[in-house]
Amino acid sequence: MPNDDTTRPQPQGALLVGGGFIAGAHAEALRRLGIPLLGVVTSTPEHTEDAARRFGLRPYPDSWTALHDPAVTVVHDCAPSDVHMDINLEALKAGKHVFSEKPLGISVDECSRQVRAARLAGCQTAVNFTYRGYAAVQTLRDIVQGGELGEVRYMTGHYLQDWLLFDTDFNWRVGAVAAETRTVSDIGSHLSDLARFVTGREPERLLARFSTLHPQRRRPLGAVQTFTAGNGETEAFDVTTEDQASLLVNYSGGIHASFELSQVAAGHKNDLQLEVFGTAGSVKWRQERPEELELGSRTHERTVRLKDPVHPFTHYPGGHPEGYPDAITNVIRRFYERLGGPVAGSPSIATFEDGLAAARFTEGAYQSQLRGEWVSLGGAAVQTREVPATEVTG
Amino acid sequence: MPNDDTTRPQPQGALLVGGGFIAGAHAEALRRLGIPLLGVVTSTPEHTEDAARRFGLRPYPDSWTALHDPAVTVVHDCAPSDVHMDINLEALKAGKHVFSEKPLGISVDECSRQVRAARLAGCQTAVNFTYRGYAAVQTLRDIVQGGELGEVRYMTGHYLQDWLLFDTDFNWRVGAVAAETRTVSDIGSHLSDLARFVTGREPERLLARFSTLHPQRRRPLGAVQTFTAGNGETEAFDVTTEDQASLLVNYSGGIHASFELSQVAAGHKNDLQLEVFGTAGSVKWRQERPEELELGSRTHERTVRLKDPVHPFTHYPGGHPEGYPDAITNVIRRFYERLGGPVAGSPSIATFEDGLAAARFTEGAYQSQLRGEWVSLGGAAVQTREVPATEVTG
Amino acid sequence: MPNDDTTRPQPQGALLVGGGFIAGAHAEALRRLGIPLLGVVTSTPEHTEDAARRFGLRPYPDSWTALHDPAVTVVHDCAPSDVHMDINLEALKAGKHVFSEKPLGISVDECSRQVRAARLAGCQTAVNFTYRGYAAVQTLRDIVQGGELGEVRYMTGHYLQDWLLFDTDFNWRVGAVAAETRTVSDIGSHLSDLARFVTGREPERLLARFSTLHPQRRRPLGAVQTFTAGNGETEAFDVTTEDQASLLVNYSGGIHASFELSQVAAGHKNDLQLEVFGTAGSVKWRQERPEELELGSRTHERTVRLKDPVHPFTHYPGGHPEGYPDAITNVIRRFYERLGGPVAGSPSIATFEDGLAAARFTEGAYQSQLRGEWVSLGGAAVQTREVPATEVTG
Amino acid sequence: MPNDDTTRPQPQGALLVGGGFIAGAHAEALRRLGIPLLGVVTSTPEHTEDAARRFGLRPYPDSWTALHDPAVTVVHDCAPSDVHMDINLEALKAGKHVFSEKPLGISVDECSRQVRAARLAGCQTAVNFTYRGYAAVQTLRDIVQGGELGEVRYMTGHYLQDWLLFDTDFNWRVGAVAAETRTVSDIGSHLSDLARFVTGREPERLLARFSTLHPQRRRPLGAVQTFTAGNGETEAFDVTTEDQASLLVNYSGGIHASFELSQVAAGHKNDLQLEVFGTAGSVKWRQERPEELELGSRTHERTVRLKDPVHPFTHYPGGHPEGYPDAITNVIRRFYERLGGPVAGSPSIATFEDGLAAARFTEGAYQSQLRGEWVSLGGAAVQTREVPATEVTG
């Protein structure tokens, strides 16, 4: 944190749940922030031993022991999505703050339960919508909500990857990440969160078209981690989840949005992009060039706004690229800062309420695809009354 | 034509109908090709005199006289879209070949009549889908149809402009270009033609969402040309056409496409883009960098394919940019080459059949928007039997 | 000239001397402008016949007849550089205006003689430094000389090509284009003219380092045109000219410049770039994206200024790319406009004086390379008194 | 280190010397790697207290105590360049391994002494040429030295910044960083190291031209850190160091290089670039897009090679940007891995020998500028015999 002379994060004791790619990213971020990581636990003692060795951490014998360790004050839930709810509820019951991976749960119901539990427990929560951790994304929100573009009426975005391009590509996500969906819940949730975060608007109606490039894939007979290739023998696996999704979404305030999602888009690695159009200008952000915003106007000039040199999420001078590991560190740093009390004028990260909003988006997309028509996301209204998802806290 | 030693176009006598921006572009292209332009005619003698002066051409007293001048063998119809049919039918009746601006007519019916008339007359036809005139677009088709991407299953595209961003922007097109639509018929038709041309596939089902940024605009009390600003007094004008449209389109062969269209997208001048995804790779073309194709693959390499140095549409060496005026010249050159008989292995330009296909697309979009649901473009089937739109001739 | 309603060029009769690549570019530009091209002549009747056929022009039997044809008022000298002086002097003697290819002559002395002859004859002259024909280059000059960058003190530029990369690549230029040099006189002259034009400053001192990638090349036993490949049998050819040159140049006003030139730089097709740095900002222009200027400042914003929509050298709306053929057309259009008398507020193109300045630059580079040290370009002073090269006319 | 399952670095105890920007970067990298950082020391107890508070480290009372703490095994020398030698020699005397900031010393003599001392002590050394820590830079070297470009004969590079653009910008470096130079020793050393590293060639002859935009600057009356702005009162400061430098350099093996350096280049933040040209292709790397290599060839294709997904310096999947903090972490990680013994097939980082080579380059540039002519760097020969700088160790 070269130029960072703010008050250092409060001492806390963190527990890491999970041993995959993203768990490693959490571990490194915590180490970087100087936050003690007390140990790791995964689904089985064998996996835990392996993760502990890889991350240089103490293994816990089982989840219960880990979650109830009094030294632990914060739980980082990096387990697969279908066990997020169980872990998070147990953690909240034990009075721990929870920093959960996304998606928060595999249904709106699961997410609602967690939101309620967190409120009851009085604990702080976060969902790792990592891309809020880029300074430029925070600036993007300030531009959009600060009125620099005039009245916002239109948005386009996409999240395209190619790591599942071939039918020999496999990962546990191919089964389903949440709500019977994969691409929407896995990466669409990031784009959905980004759009809500940047505009401050809620999606109201949605139409989805899904497609599956490979109805059958080859599943390796061993375990495979995300972003890695398995070797050796395989068996046929019938794919029920979408490889690609196109979404038309109408947001409150009359914003029309179009989103494209794919995990089979050759040449696109982690190509998340959002462009927002207003009556006076437009602004575009691309994750693969995360420190730039492209501003468009009616004049014959285009402007590239580089990362804000004095933003709290900027730690290196202009021209010294900061990337994904820095974004995740920023999100985690912010979470720990908040544990010490309200932080004035602060960048905003996602909470369980935001995780719930993403679940509604995902379920809406699935329902629309099933029915082949527009669906209203208004069913969320009841829950919205008890869980004000629009209250974006920082 | 610096490196062009092909047989020169046959001598023909051309008539220019229309006096606006695009008429000027035709005039320059014809001059460049050494094709005699015998004169110009517009809607009124006053406008004709003005156009004749601006283009350095002989004015015709009226359309009938012009279209029936025996020296005229080819008619370039650059009039507004609502009179294309009348002019083109008269020209065909007079035995002239017709090179028409797009959209070919304001309805499927108008276009069908012209297709039939052209067949009856035995005349050659073209519709100015200019972007086929870029060497890279021809190469794009070769890549896609040649199998370099594997099996094609997905397509994204957009055509974004900002020249109607403000409510003080006005042009005759704001009324309606064709089929009660504006953005779809004016620029969507280009994207639609491009997608058909590149993939060789027909659109089968379509869902559209339109939006209008300015339900009321200020109309100048004088005349306004495309891409120019009017001055002085204005009156209120109720806009019934769309400023923006999002389209989900399913093509034959299982290709899912998503298209975005806007004439109010700040910062985008003439931003037409198409990206095609297959099971083995992807390829992207952008009109604002018209000589490049971006090829994507699963490896950690991306390839930029520059304009083919030996393509018939390439006339200058690599690194010597050729642009829009060259594309329109290529399309017109190709048309005149065809008048001399079949041209082997030739680049392909759009005919009246392609103009009809674009009209079906436009009407389908309008119908879908009206109904708020998916529509089948199968109603085209009857006409397709008599008018094989899939037969792309060069 | 779609949006061009300025007074049309005066009628003139043009003669084309030369039958190569650039002669074809002149022919097309003249045709486009509606300027009558009366015929073509080259070094031999056979070549003339061939060129006449390719360009669709009338062949002249010989140069003398052509240059003295009373109908000819303007001579376009597109012959090889070593005969420019003879042709141009003869044309001036016959009272013709001369639009000459670059380099104007093969030595400072040759260029001085032509400058004096033109003054004596009272004829208009131009040298085809094509890149002045881009609207963005004219804007670049306005930015630099208008003070937008503060005080200018530093410049970098390059002109890199790869068409002579392999030792099997050959062209008459490999012999020598001017002043015993090739890369400097052939493409360095463009960069040198661009730098003078944009800054309005003269080079004072210069240091050059030349290198030759292939001391021996294979010369085809037949003739070869620029930018084309010869086939068949070859013989060894000892290369005495440079493939690459690095130049440090100090301009009047305390501007330090560094230029890189190469015709063997793999991957660079026609990569001419100039960046100018001042005390308040910088601006960069690249020929391969000719309609953009990149403005840099101390803030965390970068600006891309697109082509000026109302510049006299802009003929198509934003987003409709205009390129090299348009630039050369602009330069020629400008020349013919000037034949009708002074043109107020006009873009500036290069005259014989500018051709002489380029020759001084080339000779200076050659001398510096020979001596291995800095040379003063002050030897030009005597000639500068009689030939004010700094008087850049438009 | 998400995908990093290599053996973890050996436990070591690190000492941080210095409290500025780059010291913070070291601290964070060490924390991230899980390497115990035992404390910090700076020039005065007051500054040490301040740095200790900012970095969350234990303060040492003075350098001697710190450098001789038996728990310390590695010294990170992040002090200003003029005290590097004293600190490093004392550290080596105490038997510590030394990871030093650049430039290693303020003269060739200072660097030679340190090289000798390190050999005598048998300790490991590193100089923080950070940019070797990018995976793409290591790949760049492999491409160049692996022959993919054919025979390498030409190189261009620049390192342009703008943080000293205004005469009100000030920093201790304005005095002089090493060898009476500033821009060359501060940032030219990075480019010089990069060129040697990538090509494996030594510079033999060099010509330099320096310029100073601001002969007088305003020095704040308080202390100022790098990349930060001082406030309040100032005094005049006569600048004797260069703001800009142009260098022509001839390397062994017949490679001609041209380098541009500036700290007053508006709009360029940390714009380090190197392009290498061979007889078969070219490759370019830019620090501000550090994960990409642009490959050029004679064909009409360009290739962008993204970061190697399985390179030891790659820790996140494609499309997840890794930047400057990751590069510095990689360099430090590599250093600690080497402490455990030789590492096979490993990426290579810079040692004291490389620091000495950079010093020779800097002194050569200074001498050439003084004399206004080419200088030979052959004076290095004697030292090269005893200190084989060409032996690049990993």
Side-chain angles (χ1 to χ4, degrees):
Chain A
M1 302 157 294
N3 72 349
D4 202 355
D5 58 0
T6 58
T7 309
R8 300 193 59 74
Q10 302 296 319
Q12 302 279 351
L15 166 70
L16 188 65
V17 182
F21 163 76
I22 200 68
H26 282 242
E28 187 184 41
L30 288 166
R31 201 177 281 127
R32 196 167 170 179
L33 293 166
I35 296 165
L37 192 40
L38 302 176
V40 62
V41 70
T42 74
S43 54
T44 68
E46 292 73 26
H47 287 154
T48 299
E49 285 298 331
D50 176 59
R53 185 188 51 74
R54 282 185 288 113
F55 300 148
L57 292 176
R58 184 165 67 95
Y60 278 94
D62 59 71
S63 294
W64 200 95
T65 308
L67 293 169
H68 290 268
D69 179 346
V72 168
T73 59
V74 180
V75 172
H76 287 256
D77 183 354
C78 302
S81 50
D82 59 349
V83 296
H84 281 171
M85 183 178 70
D86 289 348
I87 292 165
N88 293 345
L89 291 182
E90 190 66 34
L92 291 167
K93 209 165 117 188
K96 315 301 190 191
H97 304 299
V98 180
F99 191 107
S100 178
E101 265 307 313
K102 35 67 49 181
L104 178 58
I106 61 167
S107 66
V108 168
D109 182 61
E110 277 202 5
C111 295
S112 293
R113 288 177 62 188
Q114 295 181 66
V115 167
R116 284 194 296 269
R119 300 199 157 198
L120 216 63
C123 294
Q124 292 281 352
T125 65
V127 174
N128 186 24
F129 288 123
T130 314
Y131 303 112
R132 296 196 188 193
Y134 284 116
V137 167
Q138 298 282 335
T139 300
L140 175 63
R141 183 193 56 165
D142 295 344
I143 287 172
V144 169
Q145 298 194 20
E148 189 171 335
L149 309 181
E151 189 187 345
V152 172
R153 295 288 297 280
Y154 178 43
M155 227 184 330
T156 59
H158 62 238
Y159 198 154
L160 306 177
Q161 302 181 323
D162 71 359
W163 65 291
L164 292 173
L165 178 61
F166 303 133
D167 68 357
T168 48
D169 297 320
F170 200 84
N171 178 275
W172 64 266
R173 285 170 174 80
V174 168
V177 173
E180 311 303 314
T181 79
R182 183 221 323 148
T183 302
V184 173
S185 49
D186 190 23
I187 59 177
S189 56
H190 275 296
L191 180 51
S192 146
D193 182 69
L194 189 62
R196 277 180 69 248
F197 173 65
V198 165
T199 61
R201 301 290 187 171
E202 295 296 325
E204 294 179 335
R205 295 183 79 232
L206 182 154
L207 183 134
R209 178 190 58 188
F210 289 4
S211 67
T212 302
L213 184 64
H214 299 301
Q216 193 172 79
R217 290 180 178 265
R218 304 302 308 172
R219 174 162 62 179
L221 292 178
V224 187
Q225 278 210 346
T226 306
F227 289 116
T228 62
N231 292 310
E233 284 185 75
T234 62
E235 61 184 354
F237 182 91
D238 291 328
V239 176
T240 58
T241 54
E242 76 286 4
D243 285 322
Q244 183 270 333
S246 302
L247 303 168
L248 304 184
V249 193
N250 294 353
Y251 283 78
S252 58
I255 302 177
H256 289 63
S258 300
F259 297 148
E260 292 298 314
L261 309 171
S262 178
Q263 297 187 311
V264 293
H268 296 259
K269 302 308 171 196
N270 199 40
D271 182 7
L272 169 61
Q273 174 180 305
L274 184 70
E275 184 162 11
V276 182
F277 298 85
T279 50
S282 66
V283 58
K284 181 162 73 173
W285 176 76
R286 293 183 287 173
Q287 194 277 146
E288 295 191 354
R289 295 211 182 135
E291 300 187 297
E292 297 178 2
L293 294 171
E294 293 180 38
L295 294 159
S297 77
R298 173 64 169 273
T299 71
H300 63 295
E301 289 200 345
R302 287 178 187 146
T303 302
V304 176
R305 194 167 294 175
L306 308 176
K307 68 176 171 190
D308 177 357
V310 298
H311 192 278
F313 280 2
T314 299
H315 306 286
Y316 283 79
H320 294 71
E322 297 176 83
Y324 183 91
D326 305 286
I328 196 169
T329 304
N330 280 333
V331 169
I332 294 177
R333 173 190 288 117
R334 205 72 199 147
F335 180 70
Y336 281 86
E337 285 172 355
R338 276 171 37 195
L339 298 186
V343 190
S346 61
S348 180
I349 63 169
T351 63
F352 275 16
E353 279 82 1
D354 299 304
L356 170 60
R360 283 181 190 133
F361 185 92
T362 297
E363 277 200 8
Y366 181 68
Q367 289 302 322
S368 171
Q369 154 70 9
L370 267 189
R371 301 185 212 159
E373 60 185 26
W374 286 90
V375 298
S376 170
L377 300 177
V382 177
Q383 286 150 333
T384 298
R385 275 199 295 279
E386 53 181 335
V387 185
T390 55
E391 175 192 298
V392 179
T393 51
Chain B
M1 302 158 295
N3 71 349
D4 201 356
D5 58 359
T6 58
T7 310
R8 300 192 60 72
Q10 301 296 318
Q12 302 279 352
L15 166 69
L16 187 65
V17 182
F21 164 76
I22 200 69
H26 282 242
E28 186 183 42
L30 288 167
R31 202 177 282 129
R32 195 166 170 181
L33 293 166
I35 295 165
L37 191 40
L38 303 176
V40 64
V41 70
T42 74
S43 53
T44 69
E46 293 71 29
H47 287 155
T48 298
E49 286 298 332
D50 176 60
R53 187 187 52 74
R54 280 186 288 115
F55 300 150
L57 292 176
R58 183 164 68 94
Y60 278 94
D62 58 71
S63 294
W64 200 94
T65 310
L67 293 169
H68 290 268
D69 179 349
V72 167
T73 59
V74 180
V75 172
H76 286 255
D77 183 355
C78 302
S81 49
D82 58 351
V83 295
H84 281 171
M85 183 179 69
D86 289 348
I87 292 165
N88 293 345
L89 291 182
E90 190 64 35
L92 291 167
K93 210 165 114 188
K96 316 300 189 191
H97 304 300
V98 180
F99 191 107
S100 177
E101 266 306 314
K102 36 62 57 179
L104 179 58
I106 63 167
S107 65
V108 168
D109 182 60
E110 278 201 5
C111 295
S112 292
R113 289 178 59 189
Q114 296 182 65
V115 166
R116 283 192 298 268
R119 301 201 156 192
L120 215 62
C123 294
Q124 292 281 351
T125 65
V127 174
N128 186 22
F129 288 123
T130 315
Y131 303 112
R132 295 195 188 193
Y134 284 116
V137 167
Q138 298 282 335
T139 301
L140 175 63
R141 183 193 56 165
D142 295 345
I143 287 172
V144 169
Q145 297 194 22
E148 189 172 334
L149 309 181
E151 188 187 346
V152 171
R153 294 290 296 281
Y154 177 43
M155 225 182 333
T156 59
H158 63 239
Y159 199 154
L160 306 176
Q161 303 181 325
D162 70 0
W163 65 290
L164 291 173
L165 178 61
F166 302 132
D167 67 358
T168 48
D169 297 320
F170 200 82
N171 178 275
W172 65 265
R173 285 171 174 79
V174 168
V177 174
E180 311 303 314
T181 78
R182 184 222 321 150
T183 302
V184 173
S185 49
D186 189 24
I187 59 177
S189 56
H190 276 297
L191 180 51
S192 146
D193 182 70
L194 189 63
R196 278 179 70 247
F197 172 65
V198 165
T199 61
R201 300 291 187 169
E202 295 297 325
E204 294 178 335
R205 296 184 77 233
L206 182 153
L207 183 133
R209 178 191 58 187
F210 289 4
S211 66
T212 302
L213 185 63
H214 299 300
Q216 194 172 77
R217 288 179 180 264
R218 304 301 310 172
R219 175 164 60 179
L221 292 178
V224 187
Q225 279 209 348
T226 306
F227 289 117
T228 62
N231 292 310
E233 284 183 72
T234 62
E235 62 185 355
F237 181 91
D238 289 330
V239 177
T240 59
T241 54
E242 76 285 4
D243 287 322
Q244 184 270 333
S246 301
L247 303 168
L248 304 184
V249 193
N250 293 353
Y251 282 79
S252 60
I255 302 177
H256 289 62
S258 300
F259 297 149
E260 293 297 314
L261 309 171
S262 178
Q263 296 186 312
V264 293
H268 296 258
K269 302 307 171 194
N270 199 41
D271 182 9
L272 169 62
Q273 174 179 306
L274 183 70
E275 184 161 11
V276 182
F277 298 85
T279 49
S282 66
V283 58
K284 181 162 72 174
W285 177 77
R286 292 183 288 172
Q287 194 276 144
E288 295 191 352
R289 294 210 182 135
E291 300 188 295
E292 298 179 1
L293 294 171
E294 294 180 38
L295 294 157
S297 77
R298 174 63 172 272
T299 71
H300 62 298
E301 288 200 345
R302 287 178 186 146
T303 302
V304 176
R305 195 167 294 175
L306 307 176
K307 69 176 171 190
D308 178 357
V310 298
H311 192 277
F313 280 2
T314 299
H315 306 285
Y316 283 80
H320 294 71
E322 297 176 85
Y324 183 90
D326 305 287
I328 195 167
T329 303
N330 280 332
V331 168
I332 293 177
R333 172 190 287 116
R334 205 70 198 149
F335 180 70
Y336 281 85
E337 285 173 354
R338 277 171 36 196
L339 298 185
V343 191
S346 62
S348 180
I349 63 169
T351 63
F352 276 16
E353 279 82 1
D354 299 305
L356 170 59
R360 283 181 190 132
F361 186 91
T362 297
E363 276 199 9
Y366 181 67
Q367 289 301 323
S368 171
Q369 155 68 10
L370 267 189
R371 301 185 212 159
E373 60 185 25
W374 287 89
V375 298
S376 171
L377 299 178
V382 177
Q383 287 149 331
T384 299
R385 273 199 297 278
E386 53 182 334
V387 185
T390 56
E391 176 191 297
V392 179
T393 52
Chain C
M1 301 159 295
N3 71 350
D4 201 355
D5 57 1
T6 58
T7 309
R8 299 193 60 74
Q10 301 297 316
Q12 301 280 351
L15 166 70
L16 188 65
V17 182
F21 164 76
I22 200 68
H26 282 242
E28 185 184 42
L30 288 166
R31 200 176 283 126
R32 195 167 171 180
L33 293 165
I35 296 165
L37 191 40
L38 303 176
V40 63
V41 70
T42 73
S43 53
T44 70
E46 293 73 27
H47 287 154
T48 298
E49 287 297 332
D50 176 59
R53 187 187 53 72
R54 281 185 288 115
F55 300 148
L57 293 176
R58 184 164 68 95
Y60 278 95
D62 59 71
S63 295
W64 200 94
T65 307
L67 293 169
H68 290 268
D69 178 349
V72 167
T73 60
V74 181
V75 172
H76 288 255
D77 183 355
C78 302
S81 50
D82 59 350
V83 295
H84 281 171
M85 183 179 69
D86 289 347
I87 292 165
N88 293 346
L89 291 181
E90 190 65 34
L92 291 167
K93 209 164 118 189
K96 315 300 189 192
H97 304 299
V98 179
F99 191 107
S100 178
E101 267 306 315
K102 36 67 50 182
L104 179 58
I106 63 168
S107 65
V108 169
D109 182 59
E110 278 202 5
C111 295
S112 294
R113 289 178 60 188
Q114 296 182 67
V115 167
R116 283 192 298 267
R119 301 199 157 197
L120 214 62
C123 293
Q124 292 281 352
T125 64
V127 174
N128 186 23
F129 288 123
T130 314
Y131 302 113
R132 295 196 188 194
Y134 284 116
V137 167
Q138 298 281 335
T139 301
L140 175 64
R141 183 194 56 166
D142 295 344
I143 288 172
V144 169
Q145 297 193 22
E148 189 172 334
L149 309 181
E151 189 186 346
V152 171
R153 296 290 296 280
Y154 177 44
M155 226 182 333
T156 59
H158 62 240
Y159 199 154
L160 306 177
Q161 303 181 324
D162 71 0
W163 64 290
L164 292 173
L165 178 61
F166 302 133
D167 67 358
T168 48
D169 297 320
F170 200 82
N171 177 276
W172 65 265
R173 284 170 174 79
V174 168
V177 174
E180 311 303 314
T181 78
R182 182 221 323 149
T183 302
V184 173
S185 49
D186 189 23
I187 58 176
S189 56
H190 275 296
L191 180 50
S192 145
D193 181 70
L194 189 63
R196 278 180 69 249
F197 173 65
V198 165
T199 60
R201 302 291 187 169
E202 295 296 326
E204 294 180 336
R205 297 183 77 231
L206 182 154
L207 183 135
R209 177 191 59 187
F210 289 5
S211 66
T212 302
L213 184 64
H214 299 300
Q216 193 173 77
R217 289 179 179 265
R218 303 302 307 173
R219 175 164 61 179
L221 291 179
V224 188
Q225 278 209 346
T226 307
F227 288 117
T228 62
N231 293 310
E233 282 186 76
T234 62
E235 61 184 354
F237 181 90
D238 290 329
V239 177
T240 58
T241 54
E242 77 286 4
D243 286 322
Q244 184 270 334
S246 301
L247 303 168
L248 305 184
V249 193
N250 294 354
Y251 282 78
S252 59
I255 303 176
H256 289 62
S258 299
F259 297 148
E260 292 298 314
L261 309 171
S262 177
Q263 297 187 311
V264 294
H268 297 258
K269 302 308 170 194
N270 199 40
D271 182 7
L272 169 61
Q273 174 179 305
L274 183 70
E275 185 163 11
V276 182
F277 298 85
T279 49
S282 67
V283 58
K284 181 162 70 173
W285 176 77
R286 292 183 288 171
Q287 195 278 144
E288 295 191 354
R289 293 207 184 140
E291 300 187 296
E292 297 178 1
L293 294 171
E294 294 180 37
L295 294 158
S297 77
R298 174 63 171 274
T299 70
H300 63 297
E301 290 200 344
R302 286 177 188 148
T303 303
V304 176
R305 195 168 293 177
L306 307 176
K307 68 175 170 189
D308 178 357
V310 298
H311 192 277
F313 280 2
T314 299
H315 306 286
Y316 283 79
H320 295 71
E322 297 176 84
Y324 183 89
D326 305 287
I328 195 168
T329 303
N330 281 333
V331 168
I332 293 177
R333 172 189 288 117
R334 205 72 199 145
F335 180 69
Y336 281 85
E337 284 172 355
R338 276 173 33 196
L339 297 186
V343 192
S346 61
S348 181
I349 63 169
T351 63
F352 276 17
E353 278 81 1
D354 299 305
L356 171 58
R360 283 182 190 131
F361 185 92
T362 298
E363 276 199 10
Y366 181 67
Q367 289 301 324
S368 171
Q369 155 70 10
L370 267 189
R371 301 186 211 158
E373 61 185 26
W374 286 90
V375 298
S376 171
L377 299 178
V382 176
Q383 287 149 331
T384 300
R385 274 199 295 279
E386 50 182 336
V387 185
T390 56
E391 176 190 300
V392 179
T393 53
Chain D
M1 301 159 292
N3 73 349
D4 202 357
D5 58 359
T6 57
T7 310
R8 301 195 57 75
Q10 301 297 317
Q12 302 279 350
L15 166 70
L16 188 64
V17 181
F21 164 77
I22 201 67
H26 281 242
E28 185 183 42
L30 288 165
R31 201 176 284 127
R32 195 168 170 180
L33 294 166
I35 296 166
L37 191 40
L38 303 175
V40 62
V41 69
T42 74
S43 53
T44 69
E46 292 72 26
H47 286 153
T48 299
E49 286 298 331
D50 176 60
R53 186 187 53 74
R54 281 184 289 115
F55 300 148
L57 293 176
R58 184 165 67 97
Y60 277 95
D62 59 71
S63 294
W64 200 95
T65 309
L67 292 169
H68 289 268
D69 178 349
V72 166
T73 60
V74 181
V75 172
H76 287 256
D77 183 354
C78 301
S81 50
D82 59 349
V83 295
H84 281 169
M85 182 178 71
D86 288 349
I87 292 165
N88 294 344
L89 291 181
E90 190 66 35
L92 291 166
K93 211 165 117 187
K96 315 300 188 192
H97 303 300
V98 180
F99 191 108
S100 178
E101 267 307 314
K102 37 65 51 181
L104 179 58
I106 62 167
S107 66
V108 168
D109 183 61
E110 278 201 6
C111 295
S112 292
R113 288 178 61 188
Q114 295 181 66
V115 167
R116 284 194 297 267
R119 301 200 156 195
L120 215 64
C123 293
Q124 292 281 352
T125 65
V127 174
N128 186 22
F129 287 123
T130 314
Y131 303 111
R132 296 196 188 195
Y134 284 116
V137 167
Q138 299 281 334
T139 301
L140 175 63
R141 183 192 58 165
D142 295 345
I143 287 171
V144 170
Q145 298 193 21
E148 189 172 335
L149 309 181
E151 189 186 345
V152 171
R153 294 289 295 280
Y154 178 43
M155 227 183 331
T156 59
H158 63 239
Y159 199 153
L160 306 177
Q161 302 180 324
D162 71 0
W163 65 291
L164 292 173
L165 178 61
F166 302 132
D167 68 356
T168 48
D169 297 319
F170 200 83
N171 176 276
W172 65 265
R173 284 170 174 80
V174 169
V177 173
E180 311 302 314
T181 79
R182 183 220 324 148
T183 302
V184 172
S185 49
D186 189 23
I187 59 177
S189 56
H190 276 296
L191 180 50
S192 146
D193 182 69
L194 189 63
R196 280 179 68 247
F197 173 65
V198 165
T199 61
R201 301 292 188 170
E202 295 296 326
E204 294 178 335
R205 296 184 76 233
L206 181 154
L207 182 133
R209 177 192 59 187
F210 288 6
S211 67
T212 302
L213 184 65
H214 299 301
Q216 194 173 77
R217 289 179 179 263
R218 303 302 309 173
R219 174 163 61 178
L221 292 177
V224 187
Q225 278 208 350
T226 306
F227 289 116
T228 62
N231 292 310
E233 284 185 74
T234 63
E235 61 185 354
F237 182 91
D238 290 328
V239 177
T240 58
T241 54
E242 76 286 3
D243 285 322
Q244 183 271 333
S246 301
L247 303 169
L248 305 183
V249 193
N250 294 352
Y251 283 78
S252 59
I255 302 176
H256 290 63
S258 300
F259 297 148
E260 292 297 315
L261 309 171
S262 177
Q263 297 186 312
V264 293
H268 296 259
K269 302 307 170 195
N270 199 40
D271 182 7
L272 168 62
Q273 174 179 305
L274 183 71
E275 183 162 12
V276 182
F277 298 85
T279 49
S282 67
V283 59
K284 181 162 73 174
W285 177 77
R286 293 183 287 172
Q287 196 276 144
E288 296 191 353
R289 293 207 184 138
E291 300 187 296
E292 297 178 3
L293 294 171
E294 294 180 38
L295 293 158
S297 77
R298 174 62 172 274
T299 71
H300 63 296
E301 288 200 345
R302 287 179 186 145
T303 303
V304 176
R305 194 167 294 175
L306 307 176
K307 70 177 171 188
D308 178 357
V310 297
H311 192 278
F313 280 2
T314 299
H315 306 287
Y316 283 79
H320 295 70
E322 297 176 83
Y324 183 90
D326 306 286
I328 196 169
T329 303
N330 280 332
V331 168
I332 294 177
R333 172 190 288 115
R334 205 73 200 148
F335 180 71
Y336 281 85
E337 284 172 355
R338 277 171 36 196
L339 298 186
V343 191
S346 61
S348 180
I349 63 169
T351 63
F352 276 16
E353 278 81 1
D354 299 304
L356 170 60
R360 283 181 190 133
F361 185 91
T362 298
E363 277 200 7
Y366 182 68
Q367 288 302 323
S368 171
Q369 155 69 10
L370 267 189
R371 300 185 213 160
E373 60 185 26
W374 287 90
V375 298
S376 170
L377 299 178
V382 177
Q383 287 148 331
T384 299
R385 274 199 297 278
E386 51 181 336
V387 184
T390 56
E391 176 191 298
V392 180
T393 52

